[in-house]
Amino acid sequence: MCWGYNWVVMKVGVHDSGPVEFAAIRMFGGAMILLVVMLALRRPLRIVEPWTVAAIGLFQSTASQGLIAMALHTGQAGKSAVLNYTLPIWVMILGFLFLKERPRTGHGPRPRWR
């Protein structure tokens, strides 16, 4: 319930600051929290593959969060949330159409924790 209500809070935030600024504030806040956690756990801050991380950050995270903020700015929070949570379905359909990947059960990555 808290996760779903987050969309309503984001809608209010987008109304007060604009979509791009709100997405930047959210990403900066998340980065600062991650930095504090990494320092508290004494984990190394060195990035093993910086170009890969930068590409994923630019193309996946930035585009995704920016588009979510723009959708919240122009549309309803509920519709934006439904579109975001149906993303795996669209990825499966587009992967089938453009990459010729056949959908099957257990197709995703397996967890590595034990």
Side-chain angles (χ1 to χ4, degrees):
M1 188 167 163
C2 292
W3 189 263
Y5 191 72
N6 181 39
W7 287 87
V8 176
V9 173
M10 287 192 305
K11 177 74 176 177
V12 172
V14 167
H15 177 70
D16 290 339
S17 67
V20 176
E21 295 85 6
F22 187 67
I25 291 167
R26 287 177 47 224
M27 292 296 106
F28 182 75
M32 290 301 103
I33 291 170
L34 181 60
L35 177 65
V36 168
V37 168
M38 293 293 284
L39 290 173
L41 295 175
R42 296 183 186 195
R43 297 282 183 123
L45 297 175
R46 183 178 166 278
I47 299 173
V48 178
E49 295 184 36
W51 292 109
T52 303
V53 172
I56 291 170
L58 179 65
F59 294 114
Q60 195 276 333
S61 300
T62 304
S64 174
Q65 296 304 316
L67 291 171
I68 286 170
M70 287 192 305
L72 284 169
H73 184 66
T74 59
Q76 298 173 348
K79 288 181 181 179
S80 299
V82 168
L83 283 173
N84 187 55
Y85 293 133
T86 59
L87 182 63
I89 296 168
W90 299 111
V91 168
M92 182 182 67
I93 291 169
L94 293 172
F96 176 73
L97 293 175
F98 294 107
L99 303 175
K100 307 299 183 221
E101 290 189 6
R102 299 192 59 79
R104 55 189 161 90
T105 56
H107 191 73
R110 300 195 188 280
R112 296 181 188 201
W113 64 81
R114 289 187 184 192

